[in-house]
């Protein structure tokens, strides 16, 4: 199978959409953003051995490659228009490619975000997606827009993906009940981008970020960009059943330093609490109010007694010493 046959068979499946004037096959794709809206653009690269295990299910990998990019659009409050795929492959394995493309296209179809172009080359397995979206000016959920006094909100819950990763690594403390094992694996391998919630929050919330590297570290990006601090109430953090059996130390590690959660963390003024809950309701996404933004810099975790607990805010950093890849 040659390069063009591979593209035709697996990637150019005739997908299109109202925002696509010209898709795969020419020198460029042509997108048609709505008049007056701004383009939102984001790229994410997934590398074998660093972001996923070599034996990962290819359909799940196709899903996750696009999901992490759509999650960035969600965190900006943007609506997807389309995406490109730059793929480096060691060999043209038809069964693997079919499963990968099926996983990719299923998520793309679910969010009306068609594949409009890309590049294909031989080399170590490496998947780079660039996603294009649109958002109205002044409505984008930027990291630098948090204000002292804002509520701090979290969609869904954190930590299950981290627990699944520790299970795959064989970490002794990572125990989980049989029923929860598959659920945690699902969270790690098939994250749900919170697009509907992000769009419902655009123009309502102040700042937002999607959680890819752990709650504490990713919140740190909002705090630094906005020049503010935050308090998290330990008792307000949602805890998935799978995390109940862990010690509090390991549970907190999963909750705050997990990574791969792909939930939205956002801030909003206190007087829009009801509107935030309504946005959660219409988007079918649970949200929890987990703390507040403060004028005092720094991040504090408050225990049930209201007193600060020790919080070593660490998150995933590919260039930090000792940042082992997944394998
Ligand atoms: P070029 O010579 O301009 O780089 P290519 O020959 O690489 O173009 O690609 C031909 C067409 O197929 C282009 O429209 C390109 O966007 C598309 N394409 C290539 N690889 C992929 C891929 N992995 N997924 C989707 N479209 C692809
Ligand atoms: Mg090319």
């Amino acid at each position: 199978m040659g390069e063009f046959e591979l593209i035709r068979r697996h990637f150019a499946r005739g997908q299109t959409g109202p925002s696509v004037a010209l898709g795969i096959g020419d020198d460029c794709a042509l997108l048609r953003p709505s008049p007056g809206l701004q383009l939102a653009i984001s790229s994410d690269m997934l590398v074998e051995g660093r972001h996923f295990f070599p034996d990962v299910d290819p359909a799940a990998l196709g899903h996750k490659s696009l999901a992490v990019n759509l999650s960035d659009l969600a965190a900006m409050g943007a609506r997807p228009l389309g995406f490109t795929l730059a793929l480096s492959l060691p060999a043209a394995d038809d069964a693997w490619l079919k499963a990968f493309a099926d996983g990719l296209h299923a998520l793309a179809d679910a969010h009306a975000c068609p594949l409009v172009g890309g590049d294909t080359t031989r080399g170590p397995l490496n998947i780079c997606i660039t996603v294009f979206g649109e958002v109205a000016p002044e409505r984008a959920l930027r990291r630098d827009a948090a204000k002292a006094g804002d509520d701090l909100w979290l969609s869904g819950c954190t930590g299950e993906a981290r627990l699944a990763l520790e299970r795959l690594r064989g970490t002794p403390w990572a125990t989980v009940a049989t029923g929860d094992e598959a659920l945690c694996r699902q969270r790690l391998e098939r994250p749900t981008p919170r697009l509907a919630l992000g769009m419902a929050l655009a123009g309502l919330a102040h700042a937002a970020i999607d959680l890819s590297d752990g709650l504490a570290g990713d919140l740190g990006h909002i705090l630094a960009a906005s020049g503010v601090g935050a308090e998290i109430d330990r008792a307000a953090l949602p805890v998935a059943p799978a995390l109940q059996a862990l010690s509090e130390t390991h549970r907190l590690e999963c909750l705050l330093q997990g990574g791969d959660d792909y939930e939205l963390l956002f801030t909003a003024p206190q007087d829009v609490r009801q509107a935030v809950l309504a946005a959660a309701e219409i988007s079918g996404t649970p949200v929890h109010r987990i703390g507040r933004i403060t004028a005092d810099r720094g991040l504090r975790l408050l225990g049930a007694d209201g007193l600060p607990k020790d919080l070593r805010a660490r998150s995933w950093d590919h260039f930090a010493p000792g940042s082992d890849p997944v394998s």
Side-chain angles (χ1 to χ4, degrees):
M1 178 173 48
E3 177 187 336
F4 298 106
E5 173 59 12
L6 183 161
I7 295 166
R8 192 193 61 75
R9 195 182 299 183
H10 297 297
F11 298 117
R13 293 187 180 176
Q15 64 277 21
T16 186
S19 16
V20 181
L22 185 62
I24 292 173
D26 212 313
D27 296 311
C28 288
L30 298 173
L31 292 182
R32 204 188 279 123
S34 308
L37 299 198
Q38 289 175 336
L39 276 180
I41 303 168
S42 177
S43 291
D44 266 293
M45 181 152 62
L46 275 78
V47 177
E48 184 181 86
R50 179 146 284 270
H51 299 96
F52 57 90
F53 293 99
D55 61 352
V56 69
D57 167 17
L61 185 61
H63 173 101
K64 185 165 179 176
S65 304
L66 180 58
V68 302
N69 280 277
L70 290 175
S71 181
D72 284 319
L73 288 186
M76 220 60 199
R79 187 177 77 86
L81 295 171
F83 72 102
T84 60
L85 167 68
L87 191 60
S88 158
L89 287 170
D93 175 340
D94 203 48
W96 191 97
L97 275 164
K98 179 179 183 318
F100 174 82
D102 284 349
L104 184 78
H105 288 303
L107 185 66
D109 292 347
H111 293 287
C113 182
L115 175 59
V116 297
D119 199 25
T120 309
T121 175
R122 191 183 290 269
L125 184 55
N126 186 327
I127 302 149
C128 184
I129 286 181
T130 298
V131 76
F132 300 85
E134 63 181 17
V135 63
E138 314 304 326
R139 288 171 67 91
L141 304 172
R142 298 165 50 134
R143 294 181 183 185
D144 61 5
K147 299 265 185 304
D150 279 358
D151 291 324
L152 183 63
W153 296 84
L154 172 71
S155 73
C157 58
T158 56
E160 290 161 302
R162 170 67 184 278
L163 187 52
L165 178 61
E166 297 299 342
R167 299 278 305 157
L168 291 172
R169 285 171 165 161
T171 304
W173 60 255
T175 54
V176 61
T178 332
D180 295 328
E181 179 98 58
L183 185 69
C184 291
R185 256 315 254 288
Q186 183 85 0
R187 290 291 315 256
L188 177 67
E189 295 184 348
R190 288 181 172 270
T192 305
R194 301 297 199 180
L195 282 158
L197 177 65
M199 284 184 268
L201 291 174
L204 174 67
H206 278 162
I209 191 167
D210 69 314
L211 299 183
S212 53
D213 298 331
L215 198 166
D218 285 330
L219 174 55
H221 295 308
I222 287 185
L223 302 186
S226 300
V228 292
E231 290 171 356
I232 295 176
D233 299 321
R234 169 65 190 87
L237 281 176
V239 180
L243 274 62
Q244 301 285 0
L246 302 178
S247 71
E248 175 66 0
T249 305
H250 291 130
R251 194 182 301 123
L252 270 183
E253 191 167 330
C254 288
L255 291 174
L256 297 177
Q257 292 151 18
D260 273 321
D261 296 306
Y262 298 102
E263 293 295 349
L264 295 186
L265 181 69
F266 57 97
T267 84
Q270 293 177 25
D271 59 10
V272 301
R273 272 180 198 170
Q274 286 312 315
V276 168
L277 292 173
E281 181 81 30
I282 53 164
S283 61
T285 313
V287 297
H288 290 92
R289 190 154 48 80
I290 63 165
R292 63 205 62 81
I293 298 296
T294 60
D296 284 349
R297 302 288 183 102
L299 173 56
R300 289 162 299 278
L301 179 67
L302 304 185
D305 49 11
L307 297 174
K309 296 165 70 105
D310 179 33
L311 178 63
R312 271 153 292 156
R314 235 188 92 230
S315 75
W316 193 256
D317 174 345
H318 285 283
F319 293 96
S323 75
D324 302 323
V326 291
S327 41

